[in-house]
Amino acid sequence: MVCSHVNSYGRPQFGGASPLQLASQVVPAELLDGLSIGLVPVEEVMMKPGLIEL
């Protein structure tokens, strides 16, 4: 879950694209699915500790 959120956050150095958007262009979808990493909609990305608090 944390990997999905962190890697769905757009980066200025990538022209606003997220690392996951870029990775999905070269990494097989099956690999990302197998790792349970998926693109989180930008309005739902959480970059705070509350994401993992129990």
Side-chain angles (χ1 to χ4, degrees):
M1 177 176 50
V2 173
C3 287
S4 293
H5 281 259
V6 169
N7 290 303
S8 292
Y9 183 76
R11 306 295 204 289
Q13 65 267 35
F14 299 146
S18 71
L20 192 49
Q21 289 171 316
L22 298 175
S24 68
Q25 295 176 10
V26 295
V27 174
E30 296 81 17
L31 175 60
L32 296 174
D33 290 342
L35 294 170
S36 299
I37 299 174
L39 189 62
V40 176
V42 68
E43 62 274 0
E44 295 178 23
V45 171
M46 180 182 276
M47 301 288 283
K48 297 183 180 184
L51 179 64
I52 57 172
E53 290 180 356
L54 299 176

